[in-house]
Amino acid sequence: MLSLPTAHAASADERPNILFIFADDWGWGDLGCHGHPYVETPNIDRLAREGTDFHRFTVASGVCSPSRTAVMTGRFPARFNIDGHFAWVPSNAKRNMPDWLDPNATTLPGLLKSAGYATAHYGKWHLSNDMIPDSPSPGVYGYDDHGAFNCSGEQMPVHDDADRAIAFIEQANQNDQPFFINLWIHEPHTPFHVIPKYRWQFRDAGLSEADEIYAAVLAHADDRIGEVLDALDRFGIADNTLVIFSSDNGPARASRPTSMELTYDTATGAGFGIAASKGITAGRKGYKSSLFEGGINVPFIARWPGKIRAGAIDPDLMISAVDLLPTFCEIAHAELPDAYRGDGISQAAYLAGNAPTGRAKPLYWKLRSSWPPSKSRPHHWASYCVVQNEWKLLANADGSYVEMYDIVKDPMELVDIQASNQEVAQRLKEQLNDWKSTLPESPDPAFFSELRSQ
């Protein structure tokens, strides 16, 4: 079992550094170690060889901003009225969303900073948007340093993430201070900012143009991850650093045939568009923006030498993005405020290999989805979901249609069993309705941009 000394007795040597690598739209099947037919990810595969590959990790949304809200706060994003991506102000208003995450919320970096950690964020933000100039800077949320895009102010070039992280690691190491870094990489979100040498790497693989671009951007991301891992080795701190690789949701896919063309993003610049989105889910239903497993069951690989088993696969531990805040805080000996009411549970002991005993708290999802389902997106109709132990129930917006699965025996969600388990289905419906009744009807106007009044 993971040994955790008491907070008051913990020294910097006893508390690990924490590096959380969060990719953007990286599908469960988009890893060499998960059997992808042509994508090469040797550095992430190295993490899997030296750590544990947890197969049952789920994020708290099928899209970006709410998924990241859960990581930052340890709470379901619907509690903040965040159930879609932050866009420009009229779109946020139309969807009954705020314009940014509450800067007064209890956050993971804020808690770790209070516990003596040096904290930093590099990469995508998207807890507001670059089109909302009066939104709070990422630094307001508890970071000592940051370089970001999809935020207010200056946009960090997307490929500067590893260099910035390495410089911060070196400085914290020189100061003998434990660090926490959110390294939220851009890949493989559109636009695809392709470096020619990575396309050249796949020139003889017999791939289509779209597949070649997709493989190239993932290879570039994997190389940058490798640079950070090499820096941990070079500074002699790899053994005292918890490294996690994951993704904010499942892979994006065009809903209809799309031609290859350049697109422009105000935060990151020009690159190839959605036609090059070729991510796979290894058989899971749905893609990004779905509450089926293809949208929310994503890679989660954790390495901490001597604490987390090496070369292991864990097919059972039901860990959620809302668990990261309490888990990291337990590991770092950071105390949770008395008034904090999180939705997650600490998984520290289970990361270290203890057998899971079931999940005490259910998991809930809310996502804006269309009903009835379209032919081109048959698994993108669910607006709500609840998971309680092995049972998973999905419902459309008004609850008139549901499906239920035994997610342990049937992780690919092939057999709807609600008709043969009506008592369980009814109980889950009631739980879901009770949870929905706790959610705010509208966002707090304190988190509205001045642009709403124009």
Side-chain angles (χ1 to χ4, degrees):
M1 182 174 175
L2 191 64
S3 176
L4 296 170
T6 58
H8 64 81
S11 69
D13 291 337
E14 294 169 323
R15 294 179 296 167
N17 308 303
I18 301 172
L19 172 63
F20 180 56
I21 306 169
F22 209 31
D24 197 354
D25 298 355
W26 200 303
W28 198 93
D30 291 337
L31 294 171
C33 61
H34 285 180
H36 197 285
Y38 61 81
V39 165
E40 298 176 2
T41 54
N43 293 293
I44 300 172
D45 295 353
R46 172 192 169 190
L47 285 178
R49 290 194 307 273
E50 298 174 354
T52 297
D53 187 349
F54 293 89
H55 283 193
R56 286 294 308 127
F57 176 78
T58 53
V59 285
S61 179
V63 293
C64 174
S65 299
S67 179
R68 293 163 192 270
T69 295
V71 171
M72 284 285 287
T73 67
R75 305 184 72 200
F76 299 126
R79 300 200 186 282
F80 301 92
N81 270 85
I82 300 172
D83 56 7
H85 71 285
F86 283 113
W88 65 319
V89 167
S91 176
N92 295 336
K94 182 179 180 180
R95 293 175 293 143
N96 195 34
M97 283 180 51
D99 293 315
W100 54 76
L101 174 64
D102 176 3
N104 300 312
T106 299
T107 66
L108 175 56
L111 291 169
L112 296 183
K113 182 176 181 178
S114 296
Y117 274 66
T119 59
H121 174 100
Y122 302 113
K124 186 171 186 178
W125 180 241
H126 218 168
L127 293 172
S128 180
N129 193 286
D130 62 295
M131 294 179 287
I132 306 176
D134 57 335
S135 61
S137 160
V140 171
Y141 295 85
Y143 295 110
D144 294 314
D145 188 47
H146 73 272
F149 47 90
N150 289 106
C151 61
S152 61
E154 183 179 0
Q155 308 296 294
M156 184 191 79
V158 294
H159 297 150
D160 285 1
D161 46 12
D163 287 343
R164 292 286 298 269
I166 291 168
F168 188 83
I169 290 168
E170 182 174 23
Q171 186 62 58
N173 188 49
Q174 290 176 354
N175 295 342
D176 194 27
Q177 185 177 13
F179 61 79
F180 167 72
I181 298 175
N182 268 336
L183 183 58
W184 288 5
I185 63 177
H186 180 260
E187 289 84 3
H189 196 283
T190 56
F192 293 104
H193 306 295
V194 189
I195 303 299
K197 73 172 184 178
Y198 289 101
R199 288 195 67 174
W200 186 255
Q201 180 177 319
F202 294 94
R203 68 192 182 279
D204 296 325
L207 303 177
S208 68
E209 180 184 24
D211 287 313
E212 182 179 286
I213 291 169
Y214 195 72
V217 297
L218 294 190
H220 187 193
D222 184 78
D223 266 7
R224 300 201 311 280
I225 291 170
E227 291 171 6
V228 179
L229 298 181
D230 289 345
L232 296 177
D233 292 336
R234 186 165 66 252
F235 300 142
I237 56 176
D239 286 351
N240 194 40
T241 303
L242 169 61
V243 180
I244 290 175
F245 170 82
S246 189
S247 175
D248 67 344
N249 46 248
R253 280 294 185 104
S255 60
R256 60 185 62 86
T258 305
S259 60
M260 187 67 66
E261 57 186 25
L262 289 176
T263 61
Y264 181 79
D265 183 272
T266 57
T268 68
F272 290 103
I274 190 69
S277 294
K278 303 294 287 185
I280 62 174
T281 66
R284 290 153 180 79
K285 280 185 180 178
Y287 294 97
K288 177 180 180 176
S289 77
S290 172
L291 294 182
F292 282 91
E293 295 297 278
I296 61 173
N297 180 203
V298 294
F300 189 87
I301 298 171
R303 185 191 77 175
W304 186 5
K307 299 292 194 302
I308 291 177
R309 292 174 298 165
I313 292 175
D314 188 319
D316 301 318
L317 181 62
M318 190 172 288
I319 183 171
S320 163
V322 294
D323 298 337
L324 296 180
L325 184 149
T327 299
F328 290 170
C329 284
E330 180 178 354
I331 289 171
H333 313 288
E335 295 185 3
L336 298 177
D338 291 339
Y340 174 72
R341 297 293 179 267
D343 292 310
I345 57 177
S346 175
Q347 302 278 11
Y350 305 122
L351 286 181
N354 285 15
T357 57
R359 190 178 178 90
K361 287 186 175 183
L363 296 171
Y364 296 97
W365 287 261
K366 178 186 177 187
L367 182 65
R368 190 176 299 272
S369 301
S370 299
W371 180 262
S374 67
K375 291 183 180 180
S376 63
R377 294 164 63 85
H379 306 304
H380 291 72
W381 55 265
S383 292
Y384 294 95
C385 178
V386 55
V387 170
Q388 177 73 66
N389 293 321
E390 73 269 34
W391 309 109
K392 176 178 179 180
L393 183 131
L394 303 105
N396 64 354
D398 65 5
S400 60
Y401 179 81
V402 302
E403 293 182 7
M404 189 174 78
Y405 299 88
D406 183 332
I407 206 66
V408 174
K409 294 180 180 177
D410 182 23
M412 300 302 173
E413 299 168 297
L414 300 177
V415 181
D416 177 7
I417 59 172
Q418 62 114 1
S420 58
N421 294 271
Q422 293 185 12
E423 289 186 7
V424 176
Q426 183 59 35
R427 173 168 53 82
L428 291 178
K429 289 179 189 177
E430 292 172 358
Q431 283 183 231
L432 186 56
N433 286 332
D434 288 344
W435 177 72
K436 288 163 65 175
S437 71
T438 69
L439 302 179
E441 293 185 4
S442 58
D444 188 333
F447 314 125
F448 289 170
S449 169
E450 293 181 358
L451 297 176
R452 293 210 182 198
S453 60
Q454 296 180 4

